[in-house]
Amino acid sequence: MSEETKDVQNVNAARRVFLKSLLAGSALIVLESFNKNTIVSALAATSNQNANFPKFSAVYSPGMGYPQSVVSGDPTDSGAILWTRVDPSIAAGISGTQYDPGLVKWMQQPSSQVNPSVKDAIEAGQFVMFEVSETEDFSNPVLSGFAPIWKDFDNIVKVDVDGFLQPRTQYAYRFITKSGYVSKTGRFKTLPAAGADTTNVKFAYVSCDDYTNGYYNALRFLANEDLDFVVHLGDYVYESVGDPNYQNPLPDRQISLPSNQSKAFTIDDYRTIYRTYRSDADLQKMHETHAMIAIWDDHEFANDCYYPAIAPDDSPNSSPSRRLTANQVWFEYMPARVTFDASKGFEDSIQIYRNVKIGNLVELIMTDERLYRSSHPCGEGLVDERYFTSGCDKMNDPMQTMLGTGESSQKEWFLSTLKSSTAVWKIWGNEVQYAPLMLLGKYLNLDAWDGFAWERQSITNELKTAGVRNLIAITGDLHTFEANLIKSDYQNDADSEAVGVEFMVGSVTSSNLKEMLVQAVSGRLSNSDPIPSSIMKKITGQLLGPFTVLTDAAINTVIDQLSNVVLMENPWIKLFNSSTHGYSIFELTKNKATWTAYTVSTIKSKQASKSLLWQCEVPRDEAAINIIKG
Ligand SMILES: [Fe+2]
């Protein structure tokens, strides 16, 4: 038996013992560790043992010592992942090399055999105490315990309390160090019990928050919504921080990387980016209020990336160690219930695609459209190859894959999960646009599903044959709000039956097409342009004729014209707006799904207002978009 298998068995056994203890009402301590870089849930002691440990108490004002505040994620019907990062200057944490496999063994035997190294580490302040409570005063926590501060993982704490809480309940949580530094209080809701009759689920989703490009006003408004959870569809960070010589980050939102480069290449670079993004007060507020379920898109590694670990803007060659680094830092910072093992290489080190069942009403299926995908079908050149291109035969090549091929591939998992789902609504967390996007007779973006047309059609065919109903794809990436029908045959019959719907959310802050038009004219760029500036210039020229200067009025005309052309050329696209930023909310009931898109008045100042952009309804058992407001 391998050491790893033994560890897994130990942990499973530990969990069983813990559950027994919990039922007996005596479980008081939960320990969590990064065993072999894998999150290992483990267990408990009796109240007698608890007496062996000091209870840490708050001394300083909440938040001091936790520069990235607190985050929760991947809620279940009995818990969530809780996350924080402790400032290394107040607690050094425990190194992986100090990790003692006796920890798990100790937890299997919750009698008197307290592992001395664990006790020593707790007493040395290398663990934080965590508390989960139904009330905000923590007078009677339902769960408390100690979790290691992982020195080798940027002083991060990650605790999985799955299995320990009640369904559909709001909880408060916080962390306290031995020296009395207490985090702010975070909140999250557990999900309805698996399979339980559920009448409503409400969640928000966002994507693309380039820190350097604007303020997170959308996230501040989002924090005030009453939700079950938030979904993040990727581009949570951007690997590029910009070159001030030709880019234009807001003066108070510039990031300089330890390597002094304009893009992240090293582990310190990627960590600096996540730390900086998470220092934002509005992002913190959103995390302190809601649990998040996240997948990555390309920028958590590099723009337009594909298999095997290729970042085409930086090198035509594979960069496995850079990809592995990006995977590790994502794993460190995201509150996701996934494991990471660097020894397995970039491809197998992590698997982020996963599904979440929410009562009997919703199943959320989150896919990874970057780690396994093929190169761009018509070449890696920007103009006429990746973007604004007439296309090429390879788009329809069965070898061209977004999800990965083979028997145990993500694609097989995705199709079988969808087909076997018993939930009313199947929500597909889909990173890039599924519906075709033609503009002036060309494909605007072959980095999206248009570049994988054969695979798109094969997925649609399978769903149609299997009679999968009530499929809603939620999409990010293009920094645009859209409402699209998923047609059974886009290529040959635009009037073909719809098999599902797709709702794209605009970006939180990343450049939209309107901002890109302005940049194309001024010769400036941003870190988050979804389409190269030269192409926006070309499109503008074709819509407007030759130009040298664009007035505000002319820019509005061009963007209106562009939207009209998109709606005319792509009859499956019912709504299209790439002039604003914001977030979207889905409210699901047994009879209908209601989609609401909210926009913010500006991202260039913190003084902003929020307004309704559109609202649509999708009736149950009809793949249709009924526009209610818009
Ligand atoms: Fe983006």
Side-chain angles (χ1 to χ4, degrees), residues 418-419 426 460-470 499:
L418 256 181
K419 287 195 264 187
K426 290 95 185 166
T460 305
N461 290 350
E462 286 226 29
L463 298 180
K464 198 181 167 193
T465 309
V468 172
R469 286 188 294 185
N470 302 315
V499 298

Side-chain angles (χ1 to χ4, degrees), residues 388 433-440 442-445 448 450 475-485 502-507 511-517 530-531 536 539 543 555-581 584 595 597 599 613-616 625 627 629-630:
F388 203 46
Q433 179 157 351
Y434 195 73
L437 179 54
M438 305 297 295
L439 183 64
L440 303 169
K442 293 186 167 188
Y443 296 96
L444 182 61
N445 179 14
D450 271 338
T475 305
D477 182 58
L478 194 64
H479 312 168
T480 301
F481 286 95
E482 292 179 30
N484 308 328
L485 292 172
E502 173 180 43
F503 289 91
M504 183 187 280
V505 66
S507 69
S511 291
N512 53 41
L513 297 186
K514 183 178 176 184
E515 284 159 359
M516 291 187 56
L517 277 178
I531 308 286
M536 287 310 291
I539 293 169
L543 287 169
I555 286 165
N556 286 333
T557 307
V558 174
I559 199 74
D560 286 348
Q561 242 177 313
L562 190 145
S563 303
N564 290 335
V565 170
V566 165
L567 295 176
M568 266 185 333
E569 279 189 63
N570 304 272
W572 41 83
I573 299 183
K574 301 300 175 191
L575 296 167
F576 186 94
N577 180 317
S578 197
S579 317
T580 189
H581 302 276
S584 294
W595 179 70
T599 79
L613 176 65
W614 297 316
Q615 191 164 58
C616 300
I625 295 171
I627 300 169
K629 287 174 197 155

Side-chain angles (χ1 to χ4, degrees), residues 208 234-235 238 297-299 477-479 510 528 530:
C208 299
D235 289 359
Y238 282 74
D297 192 20
D298 51 342
H299 288 283
D477 182 58
L478 194 64
H479 312 168
S510 304
S528 49

